[in-house]
Amino acid sequence: MSVRDRIGGSVTLFSEPGHLGYTRVDGPHPFGAVLRIPDPFNLDLDTSGLSPA
């Protein structure tokens, strides 16, 4: 799961869901950063197309 903050111009990746919520938080990263999406997707997410509000 990722969250985009259009006002702050950042994106945060939440992964490894657990009983009380996500157990791993990666970010926030500025728009334009490349985020590594872990297994089972195993891909890089380019956020350069995102822009603030």
Side-chain angles (χ1 to χ4, degrees):
M1 172 183 178
S2 67
V3 175
R4 179 174 68 154
D5 179 355
R6 292 177 30 181
I7 295 171
S10 65
V11 63
T12 302
L13 176 67
F14 296 89
S15 60
E16 299 180 25
H19 290 91
L20 299 175
Y22 290 92
T23 60
R24 181 173 177 173
V25 178
D26 184 12
H29 299 280
F31 287 171
V34 176
L35 298 179
R36 182 74 187 146
I37 308 296
D39 288 334
F41 301 101
N42 197 32
L43 59 90
D44 292 326
L45 177 64
D46 181 6
T47 64
S48 62
L50 301 176
S51 62

